[in-house]
């Protein structure tokens, strides 16, 4: 990442309650994670293959560095989940990067049956040499919090009956509780002859995240609670990324050639509608007027960021210039979100929360925050 982003990130975060005094490292390691990490290490020794689930938006930052030595010594498949939220062109570069390192990698959407089947095909292929000599095989799923392990496990459980020959009705089997932890490491039988179990595990982070940007990316993607870093700081960091990459300038085509006589979102009776409704829901869907309203709001956000950046005459790589631009954008976003001019701190918090929701739901487009390493 460019120098401006690093300086803004560090300047805005050092001294916060959630950061160590030394270099602003993030310390967020709930007590249960220590016990979970110990249990995961012991199960890894018994596993025949590991599926390491990472967030496709942060293929590098979402790796648990403490577990990497043990994971790299096992048969491993890196599953880049949430591919629907990631830029497909950059994601292809990431998969090629891992493959160049002789590491199996597949991009998936844990909610997609066909996507998970593709992963299971690779699992079976990787286990072929072991199947002939082992009566029971263990496949372990690991990853940091909120990368989609549970969604993947549920999908595997649902399609196992059609993917693998089984004798008995599929059941959820508890392998063993963790001492002092409410969440167990549980196993799901997905095949018979040989018996293959997929072991789920709690999401765990490293005890200390020394790199500020890695911590911010984890928080942006939801692996670290917003309260640890602060919504406003996260919004500032994401704006810094957008600006230094020039992303809003690519939204120009969204506003060109529009019919000036077309109905504006303000002319439609606005239903009671919340940004939370943008999140995936399988049941009730918002009506057309609600979709139009939210679509108009997203368009206004993109227009605001495009306008402020295109009219910006400073240097986005300069720390002070970038901070001034971000302040202008906060004011523009407050208008785009129609947040009333109440107490400044309260308004900024509301703007930040709404802006982060747009990123996390993919409403602003697909993103990958990690840069592909140079080969």
């Amino acid at each position: 990442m460019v120098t401006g982003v690093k300086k803004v990130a560090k300047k805005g975060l050092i001294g916060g309650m959630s950061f160590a005094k030394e270099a602003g490292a993030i310390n967020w390691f709930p007590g249960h994670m220590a016990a979970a990490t110990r249990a995961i290490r012991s199960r890894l020794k018994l596993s025949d293959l590991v599926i390491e689930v990472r967030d496709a938006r942060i293929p590098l930052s979402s790796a648990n560095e403490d577990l990497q030595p043990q994971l790299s010594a096992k048969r491993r498949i890196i599953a880049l989940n949430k591919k629907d939220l990631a830029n497909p062109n950059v994601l292809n570069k990431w998969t090629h990067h891992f493959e160049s390192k002789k590491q199996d990698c597949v991009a998936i959407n844990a909610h997609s049956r066909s996507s998970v089947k593709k992963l299971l095909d690779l699992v079976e292929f990787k286990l072929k040499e072991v199947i002939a000599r082992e009566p029971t095989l263990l496949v372990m799923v690991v990853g940091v919090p909120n990368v989609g392990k549970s969604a993947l496990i549920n999908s595997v459980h649902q399609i196992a009956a059609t993917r693998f020959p089984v004798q008995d009705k599929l059941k959820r089997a508890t392998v063993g509780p963790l001492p002092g932890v409410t969440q167990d490491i549980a196993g799901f039988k997905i095949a018979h002859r040989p018996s293959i179990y997929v072991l789920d595990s709690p999401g765990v982070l490293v005890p200390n995240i020394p790199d500020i940007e890695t911590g911010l990316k984890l928080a942006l993607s939801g692996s670290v609670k917003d309260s640890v870093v602060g919504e406003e700081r996260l919004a500032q960091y994401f704006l810094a990324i957008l600006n230094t990459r020039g992303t809003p300038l690519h939204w120009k085509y969204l506003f060109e050639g529009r019919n000036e006589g077309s109905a504006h979102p303000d002319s439609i009776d606005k239903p009671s509608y919340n940004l939370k409704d943008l999140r995936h829901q399988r049941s009730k869907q918002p009506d057309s007027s609600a979709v139009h309203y939210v679509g108009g709001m997203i368009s206004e956000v993109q227009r605001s960021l495009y306008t402020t950046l295109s009219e910006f005459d400073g240097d986005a790589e300069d720390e002070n210039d970038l901070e001034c631009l971000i302040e202008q954008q906060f004011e523009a976003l407050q208008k785009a979100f129609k947040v009333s001019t109440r107490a400044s701190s309260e308004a900024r918090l509301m703007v930040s929360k709404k802006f982060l929701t747009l990123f996390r739901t993919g409403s602003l487009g697909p993103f990958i925050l990690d840069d592909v390493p140079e080969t």
Side-chain angles (χ1 to χ4, degrees), residues 124 160-167 190-194:
E124 185 182 40
T162 59
R163 180 62 185 83
F164 295 100
V166 295
Q167 281 189 336
I190 62 172
H192 186 68
R193 295 181 183 175

Side-chain angles (χ1 to χ4, degrees), residues 273-339:
Y273 195 68
N274 195 293
L275 270 175
K276 292 181 180 179
D277 295 321
L278 286 170
R279 297 167 184 166
H280 179 73
Q281 294 183 0
R282 296 185 178 181
S283 53
K284 185 178 178 182
Q285 297 295 321
D287 58 40
S288 59
S289 61
V291 172
H292 195 142
Y293 170 50
V294 171
M297 179 194 62
I298 294 171
S299 178
E300 286 304 308
V301 168
Q302 291 174 317
R303 185 192 298 273
S304 298
L305 297 182
Y306 164 73
T307 301
T308 50
L309 182 57
S310 61
E311 295 177 354
F312 176 61
D313 59 0
D315 182 0
E317 294 190 22
D318 179 82
E319 175 187 351
N320 295 324
D321 287 355
L322 184 57
E323 287 182 347
C324 290
L325 173 60
I326 291 173
E327 283 303 307
Q328 295 174 21
Q329 290 175 326
F330 257 91
E331 294 178 6
L333 287 173
Q334 184 172 342
K335 295 178 181 178
F337 285 126
K338 295 180 170 57
V339 174

Side-chain angles (χ1 to χ4, degrees), residues 28-30 33-34 36-38 40-41 44 50-55 58-72 76 78 80 98 141-145 147 149 201-210 214 218 223 370:
W28 186 67
F29 196 65
M33 284 193 180
T37 300
R38 289 193 296 271
I40 288 172
R41 289 185 186 279
L44 279 173
V50 179
I51 299 175
E52 183 187 1
V53 185
R54 299 187 188 182
D55 192 316
I58 47 174
L60 196 61
S61 298
S62 55
N64 185 316
E65 289 300 325
D66 281 4
L67 293 177
Q68 289 309 303
Q70 198 167 357
L71 293 176
S72 61
R76 174 176 60 169
I78 294 178
L80 299 179
F98 285 118
V141 180
V142 301
V144 301
V147 290
K149 296 185 304 301
S201 63
V204 293
L205 287 167
V206 295
N208 180 279
I209 305 173
T214 297
L218 285 167
S223 292
D370 283 339

Side-chain angles (χ1 to χ4, degrees), residues 33-319:
M33 284 193 180
T37 300
R38 289 193 296 271
I40 288 172
R41 289 185 186 279
S42 65
R43 296 298 196 280
L44 279 173
K45 296 176 182 178
L46 304 175
S47 300
D48 299 285
L49 183 143
V50 179
I51 299 175
E52 183 187 1
V53 185
R54 299 187 188 182
D55 192 316
R57 296 168 297 179
I58 47 174
L60 196 61
S61 298
S62 55
N64 185 316
E65 289 300 325
D66 281 4
L67 293 177
Q68 289 309 303
Q70 198 167 357
L71 293 176
S72 61
K74 308 289 294 185
R75 293 181 189 85
R76 174 176 60 169
I77 298 173
I78 294 178
L80 299 179
N81 189 32
K82 306 184 183 181
K83 71 174 186 177
D84 52 313
L85 300 178
N87 183 303
N89 295 326
V90 182
L91 187 56
N92 285 335
K93 293 180 181 179
W94 268 107
T95 56
H96 291 322
H97 167 74
F98 285 118
E99 289 168 358
S100 70
K101 303 295 183 181
K102 308 300 180 182
Q103 170 60 61
D104 290 293
C105 178
V106 59
I108 67 168
N109 176 351
H111 296 287
S112 166
R113 188 184 185 93
S114 61
S115 185
V116 175
K117 277 189 174 182
K118 181 180 177 182
L119 173 62
L120 292 179
D121 285 338
L122 184 56
V123 169
E124 185 182 40
F125 176 77
K126 296 291 291 183
L127 288 176
K128 270 187 176 180
E129 61 184 52
V130 191
I131 286 176
R133 64 176 187 270
E134 295 291 344
T136 302
L137 301 175
L138 299 180
V139 177
M140 191 163 186
V141 180
V142 301
V144 301
N146 204 35
V147 290
K149 296 185 304 301
S150 296
L152 174 60
I153 286 289
N154 290 336
S155 293
V156 169
H157 197 223
Q158 291 170 9
I159 69 176
T162 59
R163 180 62 185 83
F164 295 100
V166 295
Q167 281 189 336
D168 304 319
K169 185 177 180 180
L170 295 173
K171 296 180 180 179
R172 183 181 188 277
T174 298
V175 176
L178 304 179
V181 183
T182 56
Q183 186 174 5
D184 298 338
I185 290 184
F188 299 84
K189 187 174 182 179
I190 62 172
H192 186 68
R193 295 181 183 175
S195 295
I196 300 180
Y197 288 86
V198 172
L199 305 182
D200 192 7
S201 63
V204 293
L205 287 167
V206 295
N208 180 279
I209 305 173
D211 181 71
I212 291 177
E213 282 204 83
T214 297
L216 288 171
K217 290 173 184 176
L218 285 167
L220 263 179
S221 303
S223 292
V224 175
K225 291 182 179 180
D226 289 348
S227 58
V228 174
V229 178
E231 289 89 346
E232 184 178 336
R233 289 167 175 172
L234 288 175
Q236 289 172 335
Y237 178 64
F238 185 46
L239 283 172
I241 292 177
L242 292 178
N243 292 325
T244 52
R245 292 182 177 180
T247 302
L249 299 179
H250 299 300
W251 294 335
K252 182 179 181 180
Y253 75 95
L254 297 173
F255 319 118
E256 291 181 335
R258 285 191 174 179
N259 185 354
E260 294 183 0
S262 60
H264 189 273
D266 287 341
S267 65
I268 299 174
D269 291 333
K270 297 177 183 178
S272 176
Y273 195 68
N274 195 293
L275 270 175
K276 292 181 180 179
D277 295 321
L278 286 170
R279 297 167 184 166
H280 179 73
Q281 294 183 0
R282 296 185 178 181
S283 53
K284 185 178 178 182
Q285 297 295 321
D287 58 40
S288 59
S289 61
V291 172
H292 195 142
Y293 170 50
V294 171
M297 179 194 62
I298 294 171
S299 178
E300 286 304 308
V301 168
Q302 291 174 317
R303 185 192 298 273
S304 298
L305 297 182
Y306 164 73
T307 301
T308 50
L309 182 57
S310 61
E311 295 177 354
F312 176 61
D313 59 0
D315 182 0
E317 294 190 22
D318 179 82
E319 175 187 351

